[in-house]
Amino acid sequence: MRFEVMQLDDVDGTPVNTTVVDAASVNRIVQQAAAIGQRLWIRPADTSAL
């Protein structure tokens, strides 16, 4: 399964960067974001995003 990961702006929460990754990469991305206090929005990727 693939997921769309959006990095959110610290001020207004709008997406500033989007990437599509496999399930194995989600944990690593979440750990890195947690270490620096970055906000993320993660959702299943649409087939059109592949």
Side-chain angles (χ1 to χ4, degrees):
M1 181 168 202
R2 298 184 58 83
F3 293 89
E4 182 178 13
V5 179
M6 290 172 265
Q7 296 173 346
L8 303 177
D9 183 79
D10 290 337
V11 176
D12 62 8
T14 58
V16 294
N17 188 17
T18 301
T19 188
V20 176
V21 299
D22 60 9
S25 299
V26 173
N27 185 48
R28 178 184 49 82
I29 291 169
V30 169
Q31 293 297 322
Q32 289 173 345
I36 61 172
Q38 186 176 50
R39 295 169 58 192
L40 299 176
W41 179 13
I42 302 170
R43 64 183 180 183
D46 292 335
T47 56
S48 62
L50 299 175

